[in-house]
Amino acid sequence: MRTRSLLALAGTVTALTVAVAVPASADGNAVLTTGSAGGTAAAVGDTLTAPLAGGTTATLYSSATGTSGVTCTSSQFTATVTGNPTAPGTATESVTGHTFDSSSCTSNVTGVLGVSSITVDNLPYSATVASDGTLTVSPGTGSTIQTTVKLRTLLGTITCVYQAPSLTGKADNSDSSIAFTNQQFTKSSGSSLCFANGYFTAKYAPVTDAGARVYVN
């Protein structure tokens, strides 16, 4: 009897130990959910969209600490969910669109009169979203993340092409946002009026899936 009691106690202790070792998030929740943290899993194939967060701007400045460059008040990205495992883990997406409304863009670069267009090239990009909120955007194999900026000057329109190997952002469940801060691009071609480096900063919110806010778990 005593032997059976000790075995039963040992079994109970082992079960409790295993339960404590399992992460709290390992309850079947997906990395990306809609409606709330721990809500309905975003399905593979779902389209996620987000505009600039209200009252914010997207900027491409010539330095990480300066204010000279291009500023836009209207921008949006679109991505498709390609993988959404159980949390903790890493979800995957295909970034299929990233647009800037040129009519909302201005430039304070000396000699530049205005912004004709900003185009994100080489789409789609791949993206990963980890449970800790880290977002990484990468180009396709043999490609690069690239943005083409066309600026109006007294001498006509100039084209500035900027490239980056990858981008890193951060997701925040408090407002279902994704923020990029001083992501560095390097000029690959363009006139002397095109600054040598571009530092991209923007906050997109809310990220939604068919109108429902998206959360990272």
Side-chain angles (χ1 to χ4, degrees):
M1 241 351 231
R2 180 175 176 78
T3 300
R4 284 199 298 271
S5 298
L6 289 174
L7 288 174
L9 177 60
T12 300
V13 171
T14 299
L16 288 173
T17 301
V18 171
V20 170
V22 176
S25 57
D27 57 2
N29 292 334
V31 174
L32 301 178
T33 58
T34 62
S36 65
T40 303
V44 170
D46 281 4
T47 298
L48 311 182
T49 61
L52 282 179
T56 69
T57 60
T59 57
L60 186 68
Y61 286 155
S62 59
S63 70
T65 57
T67 58
S68 176
V70 174
T71 300
C72 299
T73 59
S74 179
S75 176
Q76 178 172 295
F77 80 79
T78 304
T80 301
V81 178
T82 57
N84 191 18
T86 300
T90 301
T92 56
E93 301 172 359
S94 175
V95 180
T96 56
H98 192 182
T99 60
F100 296 84
D101 182 354
S102 60
S103 67
S104 77
C105 301
T106 59
S107 175
N108 60 356
V109 175
T110 302
V112 174
L113 303 177
V115 180
S116 295
S117 66
I118 299 177
T119 305
V120 177
D121 307 312
N122 301 336
L123 293 169
Y125 301 142
S126 60
T128 59
V129 185
S131 288
D132 66 359
T134 300
L135 169 71
T136 303
V137 181
S138 305
T141 303
S143 185
T144 185
I145 292 177
Q146 180 173 294
T147 298
T148 300
V149 182
K150 293 188 176 182
L151 304 172
R152 297 190 305 275
T153 75
L154 289 172
L155 301 177
T157 299
I158 62 171
T159 300
C160 311
V161 179
Y162 296 94
Q163 296 180 337
S166 64
L167 301 176
T168 301
K170 193 71 175 179
D172 185 345
N173 281 348
S174 66
D175 54 1
S176 295
S177 66
I178 291 175
F180 298 94
T181 303
N182 287 333
Q183 297 300 291
Q184 184 176 2
F185 285 75
T186 301
K187 184 180 76 172
S188 63
S189 65
S191 80
S192 59
L193 286 178
C194 304
F195 31 93
N197 293 288
Y199 292 83
F200 175 65
T201 297
K203 180 179 180 179
Y204 293 88
V207 181
T208 59
D209 179 351
R213 289 194 174 193
V214 176
Y215 296 81
V216 179
N217 302 275

